[in-house]
Amino acid sequence: DAMVIQNPRYQVTQFGKPVTLSCSQTLNHNVMYWYQQKSSQAPKLLFHYYDKDFNNEADTPDNFQSRRPNTSFCFLDIRSPGLGDAAMYLCATSRDFGGRETQYFGPGTRLLVL
Amino acid sequence: KQEVTQIPAALSVPEGENLVLNCSFTDSAIYNLQWFRQDPGKGLTSLLLIQSSQREQTSGRLNASLDKSSGRSTLYIAASQPGDSATYLCAVRPSGSARQLTFGSGTQLTVLP
């Protein structure tokens, strides 16, 4: 089945140790998104790619970076994780239909920072 | 800046009851509104998407309505089941070139057997 896959599902890292989360999709969607969701809060968009064009949200910390080497894969790099970065990280995809598209979400990666 | 509010934050109902979840947004300039379901520790599953020109969408026991002028949407769940227990989030996409969704914090629904 076509889907959005995130690896790993759970990630434990140490304070300040870089970590990379991955997302892949078989939907051939041209837009990919990374969201951060803290406990009992709304998902917050960090950035998204429209094809190869990177779009950063204004309030996304510089500590967060992203790469999209091809249509299928997108990575979230956290350069120096702090305790406040512990959260669920959600990847989503969509095919841009001028506002009519649905976003499809992966299962998420839960990050724990020790 | 768009703000999306969902009240109540949590709701418990007995099995079989019909229920309504509420979502309000401050800026009516939207392309669409989506309702999602999120199970504990899981990602989001899209339930219904309503375009700004539409008034409602239906899927099985779910019916979502949209009143753009008043900045409100409702998700109606008929004949609730324990399997409906989850957090339900609404999200709006602004009109124009921006693609980001603004989410509400969700309503945590528990359907008691």
Side-chain angles (χ1 to χ4, degrees):
Chain A
D1 289 339
M3 58 176 63
V4 181
I5 302 164
Q6 290 188 244
N7 286 302
R9 295 293 310 279
Y10 301 91
Q11 177 73 57
V12 181
T13 191
Q14 293 178 331
F15 183 93
K17 186 175 181 180
V19 65
T20 295
L21 310 182
S22 73
C23 177
S24 62
Q25 54 129 340
T26 60
L27 297 161
N28 202 31
H29 285 169
N30 59 331
V31 191
M32 295 187 77
Y33 311 78
W34 279 105
Y35 290 86
Q36 179 193 63
Q37 186 181 27
K38 296 187 177 180
S39 182
S40 300
Q41 295 185 19
K44 177 181 176 297
L45 183 66
L46 296 173
F47 24 62
H48 75 278
Y49 278 92
Y50 186 96
D51 294 323
K52 293 183 179 181
D53 294 332
F54 177 70
N55 298 270
N56 198 32
E57 293 301 299
D59 55 356
T60 298
D62 292 339
N63 198 26
F64 291 85
Q65 304 286 324
S66 184
R67 296 170 283 135
R68 189 180 186 185
N70 54 53
T71 300
S72 300
F73 285 87
C74 195
F75 299 97
L76 171 61
D77 300 309
I78 309 176
R79 291 190 298 183
S80 181
L83 298 179
D85 296 328
M88 175 76 88
Y89 290 88
L90 298 166
C91 174
T93 73
S94 69
R95 176 169 293 285
D96 194 29
F97 285 128
R100 291 173 286 131
E101 71 277 7
T102 297
Q103 288 193 16
Y104 294 85
F105 282 77
T109 294
R110 182 164 296 281
L111 178 67
L112 181 62
V113 182
L114 301 177
Chain B
K1 179 184 176 184
Q2 178 75 270
E3 292 184 3
V4 181
T5 304
Q6 292 184 249
I7 295 174
L11 178 66
S12 288
V13 300
E15 181 177 4
E17 191 163 297
N18 302 328
L19 60 101
V20 174
L21 305 180
N22 297 296
C23 171
S24 61
F25 47 95
T26 56
D27 187 347
S28 62
I30 64 169
Y31 254 140
N32 61 48
L33 182 145
Q34 267 186 272
W35 282 93
F36 292 88
R37 168 182 173 143
Q38 186 173 30
D39 292 290
K42 301 288 180 63
L44 279 66
T45 301
S46 180
L47 298 173
L48 291 163
L49 182 148
I50 312 177
Q51 299 299 333
S52 61
S53 58
Q54 297 175 320
R55 297 284 294 184
E56 65 179 285
Q57 281 284 339
T58 298
S59 175
R61 293 183 294 110
L62 306 179
N63 176 277
S65 69
L66 174 64
D67 184 341
K68 201 173 71 165
S69 61
S70 67
R72 293 180 181 177
S73 176
T74 62
L75 179 66
Y76 174 82
I77 303 177
S80 59
Q81 303 170 358
D84 295 331
S85 298
T87 297
Y88 291 81
L89 298 101
C90 68
V92 297
R93 173 175 163 164
S95 56
S97 59
R99 297 178 197 90
Q100 67 271 26
L101 297 179
T102 300
F103 282 84
S105 297
T107 294
Q108 185 177 359
L109 173 66
T110 302
V111 180
L112 303 169

